[in-house]
Amino acid sequence: MKLNDFIKTLEQNLDKGLKFKYAPGEFAGANYHLTEIKNVQFDTTDCGGKTNFWKETHFQIWENPIEIDKTEFMKTDKILAILKKVDGIKSLLLDTELKIEYGNVNFPTSVMPIEDVQIYENKLIVSLFSEATRCKANDVCGISVETEETSCCETTKCC
């Protein structure tokens, strides 16, 4: 989901609790805070020798252990206020993919894309998913989708 689409969704759903679902049945605690907004640039070279460049926006959310008993989730308005403040300091990259950086004692810190946003009367649930790594040069390396799911080094020219 692009950052501008996420912002529009928040603006259309003011004063609703915002929950982040990071695994089936698992949510970031109500004690989470949006601690950082990152404009991230990737400048890479894949195993086939192709260069790639793209930008993303990452929201880092963190559970405050002092607020472990908190039951009310951060509201959409609060997130919008944080985004407005950040945009006044450093421009948000509105047309970039938004990913959420999150982890806790039971879940390793991961950067996850948004799968979907479910809208309810008093809350939004942002469902995240974990991306698998993959070969970005499968055309050069001779890797098919089926090979990616098994062992690429058995058939590739790149490993």
Side-chain angles (χ1 to χ4, degrees):
M1 172 178 267
K2 300 279 186 186
L3 177 58
N4 57 1
D5 294 327
F6 186 75
I7 290 172
K8 285 177 194 170
T9 301
L10 296 180
E11 290 171 340
Q12 293 166 356
N13 292 280
L14 297 176
D15 198 37
K16 292 186 178 184
L18 188 60
K19 295 178 74 171
F20 291 94
K21 181 178 176 182
Y22 62 88
E26 300 292 332
F27 295 86
N31 58 325
Y32 82 80
H33 290 258
L34 174 57
T35 57
E36 192 169 34
I37 298 172
K38 303 174 184 182
N39 291 332
V40 183
Q41 295 185 59
F42 294 88
D43 189 358
T44 71
T45 304
D46 64 33
C47 61
K50 180 181 173 196
T51 59
N52 302 282
F53 182 84
W54 73 94
K55 296 178 182 182
E56 296 176 352
T57 298
H58 295 180
F59 287 5
Q60 181 184 75
I61 59 173
W62 166 76
E63 293 177 355
N64 184 345
I66 296 171
E67 300 175 335
I68 196 74
D69 295 328
K70 188 175 178 183
T71 57
E72 287 198 34
F73 285 84
M74 188 178 291
K75 300 279 188 178
T76 51
D77 306 60
K78 176 71 173 179
I79 297 285
L80 286 168
I82 293 168
L83 291 171
K84 182 177 180 180
K85 181 177 183 178
V86 169
D87 193 41
I89 298 167
K90 185 173 293 215
S91 295
L92 297 174
L93 303 176
L94 297 173
D95 198 36
T96 60
E97 194 69 23
L98 172 60
K99 296 186 177 180
I100 309 300
E101 178 182 332
Y102 172 77
N104 64 28
V105 295
N106 299 311
F107 185 80
T109 300
S110 301
V111 177
M112 297 170 281
I114 296 173
E115 184 171 37
D116 71 356
V117 178
Q118 297 169 325
I119 301 170
Y120 297 93
E121 185 177 326
N122 62 349
K123 66 184 170 191
L124 297 181
I125 296 179
V126 178
S127 295
L128 309 173
F129 69 97
S130 296
E131 289 181 296
T133 58
R134 63 181 182 82
C135 179
K136 291 182 177 71
N138 32 0
D139 56 334
V140 174
C141 297
I143 298 173
S144 67
V145 175
E146 296 81 27
T147 305
E148 252 185 44
E149 294 174 1
T150 58
S151 173
C152 77
C153 289
E154 294 174 9
T155 59
T156 183
K157 302 172 199 163
C158 296
C159 292

